[in-house]
Amino acid sequence: NAGVTQTPKFRILKIGQSMTLQCTQDMNHNYMYWYRQDPGMGLKLIYYSVGAGITDKGEVPNGYNVSRSTTEDFPLRLELAAPSQTSVYFCASSSARGRGETQYFGPGTRLLVL
Amino acid sequence: DQQVKQNSPSLSVQEGRISILNCDYTNSMFDYFLWYKKYPAEGPTFLISISSIKDKNEDGRFTVFLNKSAKHLSLHIVPSQPGDSAVYFCAARGDGNQGGKLIFGQGTELSVKP
């Protein structure tokens, strides 16, 4: 199994441009998450979804949008890129079996906004 | 406000010795704790976890200790190996936390020297 895949691996954006970060999982997990990691900081939750058609804000949602039309896919949209969005973005998924269920992470997308 | 803190950004140990990584939290509602390991250019991978009803969980060379009264947990790696060199994140999950959201610490970079 591929697990959690993310594309692209790296992208440079100009201020004001938009883009979509793609995330797909093949584990039939109901829960999916988007995190960002800034240098020297932990991962901060941007948005999450508990199932297709259901999304909710995390700790740092401003400047981002998400959708969840299928179980497998959870794209993250940046509408007007800003330098503050320069970061590494990780997508993760987990099953809905219980509180102890671990999250599986993708390899990350490194985004640079200039 | 940082609810999960890893106050040591880095730790260096000799191969074969014990590595001790520490994590403090402020929210007494957290009831499940996890450690993730992250190599450069990869996503975090789950290492070990502990429920708040326990004070110790062991998995091979890795042991996590939880001191609820001190709101402190630690990860012990014995013996340390060069392949353990990575960034280690502790994470916490709260009781009634919908969506299984995790709160991460800032990470500790472990370097195991041969």
Side-chain angles (χ1 to χ4, degrees):
Chain A
N1 284 342
V4 180
T5 57
Q6 292 182 239
T7 57
K9 283 186 171 55
F10 175 67
R11 181 79 182 266
I12 299 175
L13 279 184
K14 293 183 180 178
I15 294 172
Q17 286 185 321
S18 62
M19 77 165 292
T20 299
L21 284 68
Q22 301 291 347
C23 174
T24 300
Q25 53 93 8
D26 63 0
M27 297 174 281
N28 201 32
H29 284 166
N30 284 327
Y31 289 14
M32 295 188 75
Y33 313 83
W34 274 106
Y35 294 90
R36 59 177 285 173
Q37 185 195 5
D38 299 323
M41 303 294 289
L43 285 77
K44 292 192 182 296
L45 184 65
I46 305 171
Y47 270 96
Y48 68 101
S49 169
V50 300
I54 307 169
T55 62
D56 206 348
K57 296 178 181 179
E59 191 179 352
V60 288
N62 291 344
Y64 307 94
N65 279 300
V66 294
S67 60
R68 183 96 182 271
S69 57
T70 67
T71 299
E72 295 78 20
D73 300 305
F74 190 39
L76 177 72
R77 179 84 177 161
L78 282 71
E79 290 294 350
L80 290 170
S84 61
Q85 293 177 305
T86 293
S87 190
V88 181
Y89 292 84
F90 292 101
C91 178
S93 73
S94 69
S95 76
R97 287 205 302 268
R99 187 175 295 129
E101 188 65 24
T102 187
Q103 294 181 15
Y104 296 86
F105 284 80
T109 294
R110 185 175 298 273
L111 177 65
L112 180 60
V113 182
L114 298 174
Chain B
D1 184 30
Q2 191 80 19
Q3 295 188 70
V4 178
K5 295 182 182 180
Q6 295 175 257
N7 291 318
S8 298
S10 62
L11 174 68
S12 181
V13 300
Q14 208 66 33
E15 180 179 6
R17 306 295 290 269
I18 185 171
S19 295
I20 300 176
L21 295 94
N22 294 302
C23 179
D24 297 296
Y25 62 96
T26 58
N27 191 338
S28 58
M29 297 302 289
F30 289 147
D31 68 346
Y32 208 87
F33 303 89
L34 305 91
W35 283 93
Y36 281 81
K37 177 179 180 180
K38 184 183 179 304
Y39 292 118
E42 295 183 10
T45 55
F46 171 73
L47 188 58
I48 192 170
S49 63
I50 188 167
S51 166
S52 60
I53 62 173
K54 295 186 175 182
D55 54 19
K56 177 182 175 181
N57 187 28
E58 194 170 354
D59 184 2
R61 296 186 296 114
F62 302 92
T63 303
V64 56
F65 295 93
L66 176 62
N67 182 334
K68 283 185 66 177
S69 61
K71 295 191 180 67
H72 177 83
L73 65 155
S74 61
L75 174 68
H76 292 211
I77 306 173
V78 184
S80 301
Q81 300 174 353
D84 295 329
S85 297
V87 177
Y88 290 78
F89 292 99
C90 67
R93 183 177 295 162
D95 182 28
N97 186 331
Q98 296 180 355
K101 293 179 288 184
L102 294 176
I103 308 296
F104 283 86
Q106 307 97 308
T108 296
E109 184 171 9
L110 173 65
S111 175
V112 180
K113 300 189 183 306

